Amino acid sequence: MADTGTIYLVGAGPGDPDLLTIRAARLIERARTIVHDGLVDPAILATARADAVLISVAKRRSHHTLPQEEISDLLVRLARSGEDVVRLKGGDPFIFGRGGEEALHLAAENIPFEIVPGITSSAACTAYAGIPLTHRGLAHSVRFITGHLAKEGSLDLDWNGLADPETTLVVYMGLTNLETICKQLIRHGLSPETPAAAINQGTRPDQRT
């Protein structure tokens, strides 16, 4: 029976291949099997070895190639077949990347794994846009939230708590519900004059701010 392989939960960063960590780049270059999200830039996948097996488990709004439970089960099956696998995620695995769920599943199945952090999109995209997340006299803290609905329904967030003019609010996956987010923040006390930016395709050549 083959020895159990190791699963590497790797953050691919926000898009620009130059923002990969050295550890991530080395793992991608030598991996025989890579299970990747749709947010991973093709230029990063192109750095994999020529004979690597690339398995896409891309998730798009209202369409998942595989449900999360099946992705976790796939990782277990690959590891038990003796494969060392790079599970490649956009950004950082533990910031809206569901890496925690996969790590818990692997631990429950006694599968060895390693977490390889990545540069999260909030820090990278704002830097490329020239926007500091904290700035003396303007913002003394940062708060990360998701603007994406896990299930159909309303965007139920702590709007009173989020409408803090001294905190930089970073909304991941917020473009679809951008109008609702803006209206709710203003309705709950944030000034309509509050500086704001929407960033799309962050750190890529076609980044729009």
Side-chain angles (χ1 to χ4, degrees), residues 124-149:
C125 298
T126 52
Y128 274 50
I131 302 169
L133 289 176
T134 62
H135 190 82
R136 185 181 296 272
L138 291 178
H140 61 255
S141 63
V142 183
R143 187 165 178 179
F144 299 157
I145 65 169
T146 175
H148 173 71
L149 300 178

mmCIF file of all heavy atoms in Angstrom, residues 124-149:
data_model
loop_
_atom_site.group_PDB
_atom_site.id
_atom_site.type_symbol
_atom_site.label_atom_id
_atom_site.label_comp_id
_atom_site.label_asym_id
_atom_site.label_seq_id
_atom_site.Cartn_x
_atom_site.Cartn_y
_atom_site.Cartn_z
ATOM 1 N N ALA A 124 -2.519 43.428 -1.095
ATOM 2 C CA ALA A 124 -1.847 43.585 -2.386
ATOM 3 C C ALA A 124 -2.579 44.550 -3.317
ATOM 4 O O ALA A 124 -1.964 45.434 -3.918
ATOM 5 C CB ALA A 124 -1.702 42.225 -3.055
ATOM 6 N N CYS A 125 -3.891 44.376 -3.431
ATOM 7 C CA CYS A 125 -4.646 45.200 -4.386
ATOM 8 C C CYS A 125 -4.636 46.667 -3.991
ATOM 9 O O CYS A 125 -4.520 47.558 -4.839
ATOM 10 C CB CYS A 125 -6.082 44.689 -4.496
ATOM 11 S SG CYS A 125 -6.204 43.011 -5.126
ATOM 12 N N THR A 126 -4.767 46.935 -2.690
ATOM 13 C CA THR A 126 -4.748 48.331 -2.249
ATOM 14 C C THR A 126 -3.356 48.935 -2.423
ATOM 15 O O THR A 126 -3.218 50.107 -2.776
ATOM 16 C CB THR A 126 -5.199 48.452 -0.790
ATOM 17 O OG1 THR A 126 -4.444 47.544 0.036
ATOM 18 C CG2 THR A 126 -6.671 48.136 -0.646
ATOM 19 N N ALA A 127 -2.323 48.126 -2.204
ATOM 20 C CA ALA A 127 -0.962 48.633 -2.416
ATOM 21 C C ALA A 127 -0.746 49.001 -3.876
ATOM 22 O O ALA A 127 -0.179 50.047 -4.195
ATOM 23 C CB ALA A 127 0.053 47.586 -1.974
ATOM 24 N N TYR A 128 -1.198 48.139 -4.789
ATOM 25 C CA TYR A 128 -1.061 48.424 -6.217
ATOM 26 C C TYR A 128 -1.877 49.644 -6.621
ATOM 27 O O TYR A 128 -1.561 50.307 -7.612
ATOM 28 C CB TYR A 128 -1.490 47.214 -7.040
ATOM 29 C CG TYR A 128 -0.398 46.189 -7.260
ATOM 30 C CD1 TYR A 128 0.356 45.715 -6.203
ATOM 31 C CD2 TYR A 128 -0.119 45.696 -8.529
ATOM 32 C CE1 TYR A 128 1.352 44.766 -6.394
ATOM 33 C CE2 TYR A 128 0.870 44.740 -8.740
ATOM 34 C CZ TYR A 128 1.616 44.291 -7.662
ATOM 35 O OH TYR A 128 2.603 43.345 -7.852
ATOM 36 N N ALA A 129 -2.935 49.928 -5.869
ATOM 37 C CA ALA A 129 -3.758 51.107 -6.152
ATOM 38 C C ALA A 129 -3.265 52.345 -5.400
ATOM 39 O O ALA A 129 -3.830 53.433 -5.562
ATOM 40 C CB ALA A 129 -5.214 50.826 -5.768
ATOM 41 N N GLY A 130 -2.229 52.182 -4.577
ATOM 42 C CA GLY A 130 -1.677 53.311 -3.834
ATOM 43 C C GLY A 130 -2.510 53.719 -2.630
ATOM 44 O O GLY A 130 -2.475 54.881 -2.211
ATOM 45 N N ILE A 131 -3.245 52.778 -2.060
ATOM 46 C CA ILE A 131 -4.134 53.067 -0.928
ATOM 47 C C ILE A 131 -3.629 52.350 0.317
ATOM 48 O O ILE A 131 -3.604 51.116 0.348
ATOM 49 C CB ILE A 131 -5.576 52.602 -1.230
ATOM 50 C CG1 ILE A 131 -6.101 53.271 -2.496
ATOM 51 C CG2 ILE A 131 -6.489 52.881 -0.046
ATOM 52 C CD1 ILE A 131 -7.404 52.663 -2.992
ATOM 53 N N PRO A 132 -3.200 53.078 1.361
ATOM 54 C CA PRO A 132 -2.785 52.410 2.595
ATOM 55 C C PRO A 132 -3.999 51.914 3.379
ATOM 56 O O PRO A 132 -5.015 52.606 3.462
ATOM 57 C CB PRO A 132 -2.046 53.508 3.360
ATOM 58 C CG PRO A 132 -2.636 54.782 2.860
ATOM 59 C CD PRO A 132 -3.034 54.540 1.424
ATOM 60 N N LEU A 133 -3.891 50.718 3.951
ATOM 61 C CA LEU A 133 -5.002 50.202 4.758
ATOM 62 C C LEU A 133 -5.098 50.907 6.101
ATOM 63 O O LEU A 133 -6.186 51.043 6.659
ATOM 64 C CB LEU A 133 -4.839 48.696 4.964
ATOM 65 C CG LEU A 133 -5.068 47.820 3.733
ATOM 66 C CD1 LEU A 133 -4.790 46.366 4.055
ATOM 67 C CD2 LEU A 133 -6.489 47.980 3.214
ATOM 68 N N THR A 134 -3.955 51.331 6.632
ATOM 69 C CA THR A 134 -3.951 52.155 7.842
ATOM 70 C C THR A 134 -3.145 53.413 7.557
ATOM 71 O O THR A 134 -2.196 53.386 6.765
ATOM 72 C CB THR A 134 -3.337 51.417 9.046
ATOM 73 O OG1 THR A 134 -1.968 51.098 8.760
ATOM 74 C CG2 THR A 134 -4.115 50.140 9.352
ATOM 75 N N HIS A 135 -3.539 54.499 8.189
ATOM 76 C CA HIS A 135 -2.836 55.766 7.974
ATOM 77 C C HIS A 135 -3.038 56.612 9.222
ATOM 78 O O HIS A 135 -4.175 56.767 9.697
ATOM 79 C CB HIS A 135 -3.395 56.489 6.745
ATOM 80 C CG HIS A 135 -2.562 57.668 6.317
ATOM 81 N ND1 HIS A 135 -1.435 57.522 5.535
ATOM 82 C CD2 HIS A 135 -2.688 58.991 6.569
ATOM 83 C CE1 HIS A 135 -0.907 58.709 5.310
ATOM 84 N NE2 HIS A 135 -1.647 59.619 5.931
ATOM 85 N N ARG A 136 -1.940 57.142 9.752
ATOM 86 C CA ARG A 136 -2.004 57.918 10.989
ATOM 87 C C ARG A 136 -3.020 59.051 10.862
ATOM 88 O O ARG A 136 -2.991 59.830 9.917
ATOM 89 C CB ARG A 136 -0.622 58.484 11.332
ATOM 90 C CG ARG A 136 -0.573 59.218 12.671
ATOM 91 C CD ARG A 136 0.814 59.782 12.940
ATOM 92 N NE ARG A 136 1.803 58.717 13.078
ATOM 93 C CZ ARG A 136 2.087 58.097 14.219
ATOM 94 N NH1 ARG A 136 1.426 58.441 15.323
ATOM 95 N NH2 ARG A 136 2.999 57.154 14.265
ATOM 96 N N GLY A 137 -3.917 59.111 11.804
ATOM 97 C CA GLY A 137 -4.917 60.175 11.834
ATOM 98 C C GLY A 137 -6.160 59.899 11.003
ATOM 99 O O GLY A 137 -7.129 60.660 11.066
ATOM 100 N N LEU A 138 -6.149 58.818 10.221
ATOM 101 C CA LEU A 138 -7.305 58.510 9.375
ATOM 102 C C LEU A 138 -7.916 57.149 9.693
ATOM 103 O O LEU A 138 -9.138 57.040 9.833
ATOM 104 C CB LEU A 138 -6.902 58.553 7.896
ATOM 105 C CG LEU A 138 -6.560 59.923 7.320
ATOM 106 C CD1 LEU A 138 -6.124 59.786 5.861
ATOM 107 C CD2 LEU A 138 -7.746 60.867 7.424
ATOM 108 N N ALA A 139 -7.097 56.132 9.773
ATOM 109 C CA ALA A 139 -7.617 54.779 10.017
ATOM 110 C C ALA A 139 -6.670 54.049 10.963
ATOM 111 O O ALA A 139 -5.494 53.870 10.653
ATOM 112 C CB ALA A 139 -7.740 54.006 8.703
ATOM 113 N N HIS A 140 -7.194 53.666 12.130
ATOM 114 C CA HIS A 140 -6.353 53.011 13.130
ATOM 115 C C HIS A 140 -6.565 51.495 13.168
ATOM 116 O O HIS A 140 -5.929 50.797 13.959
ATOM 117 C CB HIS A 140 -6.613 53.597 14.520
ATOM 118 C CG HIS A 140 -8.032 53.430 14.992
ATOM 119 N ND1 HIS A 140 -8.925 54.469 15.008
ATOM 120 C CD2 HIS A 140 -8.693 52.341 15.449
ATOM 121 C CE1 HIS A 140 -10.095 54.028 15.466
ATOM 122 N NE2 HIS A 140 -9.984 52.747 15.732
ATOM 123 N N SER A 141 -7.467 50.979 12.330
ATOM 124 C CA SER A 141 -7.690 49.537 12.297
ATOM 125 C C SER A 141 -8.239 49.136 10.938
ATOM 126 O O SER A 141 -8.630 49.981 10.129
ATOM 127 C CB SER A 141 -8.668 49.101 13.403
ATOM 128 O OG SER A 141 -9.946 49.689 13.210
ATOM 129 N N VAL A 142 -8.247 47.827 10.688
ATOM 130 C CA VAL A 142 -8.745 47.281 9.430
ATOM 131 C C VAL A 142 -9.721 46.165 9.765
ATOM 132 O O VAL A 142 -9.495 45.379 10.692
ATOM 133 C CB VAL A 142 -7.610 46.708 8.560
ATOM 134 C CG1 VAL A 142 -8.154 46.207 7.219
ATOM 135 C CG2 VAL A 142 -6.519 47.735 8.346
ATOM 136 N N ARG A 143 -10.786 46.079 8.998
ATOM 137 C CA ARG A 143 -11.754 44.998 9.199
ATOM 138 C C ARG A 143 -12.027 44.329 7.856
ATOM 139 O O ARG A 143 -12.295 44.999 6.858
ATOM 140 C CB ARG A 143 -13.058 45.547 9.786
ATOM 141 C CG ARG A 143 -14.056 44.462 10.183
ATOM 142 C CD ARG A 143 -15.139 45.033 11.061
ATOM 143 N NE ARG A 143 -16.123 44.013 11.411
ATOM 144 C CZ ARG A 143 -17.175 44.236 12.193
ATOM 145 N NH1 ARG A 143 -17.368 45.438 12.715
ATOM 146 N NH2 ARG A 143 -18.014 43.260 12.464
ATOM 147 N N PHE A 144 -11.931 43.008 7.838
ATOM 148 C CA PHE A 144 -12.183 42.229 6.627
ATOM 149 C C PHE A 144 -13.564 41.592 6.712
ATOM 150 O O PHE A 144 -13.898 40.948 7.710
ATOM 151 C CB PHE A 144 -11.153 41.105 6.467
ATOM 152 C CG PHE A 144 -9.735 41.553 6.338
ATOM 153 C CD1 PHE A 144 -8.694 40.694 6.656
ATOM 154 C CD2 PHE A 144 -9.413 42.825 5.905
ATOM 155 C CE1 PHE A 144 -7.376 41.085 6.537
ATOM 156 C CE2 PHE A 144 -8.099 43.235 5.782
ATOM 157 C CZ PHE A 144 -7.083 42.362 6.105
ATOM 158 N N ILE A 145 -14.364 41.741 5.663
ATOM 159 C CA ILE A 145 -15.658 41.074 5.599
ATOM 160 C C ILE A 145 -15.841 40.514 4.192
ATOM 161 O O ILE A 145 -15.101 40.854 3.268
ATOM 162 C CB ILE A 145 -16.837 42.018 5.932
ATOM 163 C CG1 ILE A 145 -16.966 43.121 4.869
ATOM 164 C CG2 ILE A 145 -16.689 42.618 7.319
ATOM 165 C CD1 ILE A 145 -18.251 43.917 4.983
ATOM 166 N N THR A 146 -16.817 39.665 4.030
ATOM 167 C CA THR A 146 -17.162 39.169 2.700
ATOM 168 C C THR A 146 -18.481 39.784 2.245
ATOM 169 O O THR A 146 -19.427 39.888 3.024
ATOM 170 C CB THR A 146 -17.259 37.635 2.676
ATOM 171 O OG1 THR A 146 -17.714 37.225 1.380
ATOM 172 C CG2 THR A 146 -18.213 37.103 3.727
ATOM 173 N N GLY A 147 -18.512 40.209 0.995
ATOM 174 C CA GLY A 147 -19.739 40.749 0.426
ATOM 175 C C GLY A 147 -20.464 39.733 -0.417
ATOM 176 O O GLY A 147 -21.394 40.058 -1.150
ATOM 177 N N HIS A 148 -20.049 38.475 -0.293
ATOM 178 C CA HIS A 148 -20.612 37.390 -1.097
ATOM 179 C C HIS A 148 -21.544 36.553 -0.234
ATOM 180 O O HIS A 148 -21.232 36.249 0.917
ATOM 181 C CB HIS A 148 -19.479 36.514 -1.647
ATOM 182 C CG HIS A 148 -19.937 35.284 -2.353
ATOM 183 N ND1 HIS A 148 -20.563 35.338 -3.584
ATOM 184 C CD2 HIS A 148 -19.868 33.974 -2.016
ATOM 185 C CE1 HIS A 148 -20.848 34.100 -3.961
ATOM 186 N NE2 HIS A 148 -20.438 33.259 -3.030
ATOM 187 N N LEU A 149 -22.673 36.197 -0.770
ATOM 188 C CA LEU A 149 -23.631 35.388 -0.039
ATOM 189 C C LEU A 149 -23.246 33.920 -0.116
ATOM 190 O O LEU A 149 -23.019 33.396 -1.207
ATOM 191 C CB LEU A 149 -25.044 35.562 -0.615
ATOM 192 C CG LEU A 149 -25.624 36.971 -0.608
ATOM 193 C CD1 LEU A 149 -27.001 36.961 -1.270
ATOM 194 C CD2 LEU A 149 -25.746 37.493 0.819
#
